[in-house]
Amino acid sequence: MKHGGWYDCPFGRLWIEEEDGALVELSLHAGVRESLTPSALTDEAARQLEEYFGGRREVFSLPLAPKGSAFQQEVWRALQQIPYGETATYGELARRIGRAKAARAVGQACHQNPLWIVIPCHRVVGAGHRLTGYAGGIEMKRQLLELEAAHGKRRNTNGNHAAR
């Protein structure tokens, strides 16, 4: 069964959708949506995202079921291994999944990520650690990385840890 709902976030209205007990989509650019009702899971996802935006959560604990090819799934799993506040280049990510020459394909898989933020494709940067493409735009990517850097530094300074 599908459920979904609109939630407010710092970047606007966010569509959160679940299917059969797992998240399948987060979108700011959702057009007209079928008539779905929110669920306990979409509400929990919104709560965890609010904690993330407030600097109180580093890791999401939500069931995920993004739809994509086997290669995309492999890339999305690797994205979840990039720690909060850190980045990796497309080339580094390609090497991590054992496909050293697939940096462009990794970039395309990042672009197709239906669960951005929860599956943190914003943590992937270009060669030389340049900010490059992001489905939400470079400015949003910059803001997400700055948010993580600011909260990571504060956590390291005062010894507190964000929710895990």
Side-chain angles (χ1 to χ4, degrees):
M1 177 174 256
K2 282 181 148 185
H3 291 277
W6 291 101
Y7 299 86
D8 291 322
C9 81
F11 300 106
R13 297 282 286 159
L14 175 65
W15 174 257
I16 302 176
E17 188 172 311
E18 80 155 277
E19 188 172 332
D20 299 324
L23 293 184
V24 294
E25 181 182 356
L26 299 176
S27 180
L28 288 172
H29 308 291
V32 175
R33 290 295 182 175
E34 59 188 287
S35 181
L36 296 176
T37 58
S39 68
L41 178 57
T42 60
D43 289 346
E44 176 62 15
R47 187 186 69 75
Q48 288 189 29
L49 284 160
E50 183 177 318
E51 289 174 352
Y52 169 82
F53 290 124
R56 299 180 314 276
R57 176 169 292 276
E58 293 181 1
V59 177
F60 294 93
S61 56
L62 299 162
L64 308 178
K67 295 176 182 165
S69 70
F71 177 77
Q72 289 170 327
Q73 297 285 338
E74 186 176 18
V75 171
W76 299 337
R77 282 189 298 276
L79 288 170
Q80 293 175 76
Q81 302 306 310
I82 303 171
Y84 181 92
E86 295 182 22
T87 60
T89 67
Y90 295 100
E92 289 167 348
L93 200 58
R95 285 188 293 282
R96 287 181 191 176
I97 63 170
R99 299 171 185 242
K101 297 183 187 233
R104 282 184 192 245
V106 165
Q108 286 301 314
C110 289
H111 182 72
Q112 298 298 317
N113 174 8
L115 293 169
W116 59 282
I117 300 177
V118 174
I119 297 177
C121 54
H122 62 279
R123 295 180 189 153
V124 183
V125 295
H129 291 272
R130 298 181 339 288
L131 288 188
T132 57
Y134 185 63
I138 295 292
E139 187 53 35
M140 183 185 293
K141 185 174 195 168
R142 180 184 330 278
Q143 289 176 20
L144 292 170
L145 292 173
E146 287 174 356
L147 171 101
E148 291 185 10
H151 291 290
K153 286 178 188 168
R154 184 172 26 206
R155 181 189 69 251
N156 292 336
T157 301
N158 67 20
N160 292 331
H161 297 288
R164 291 194 177 268

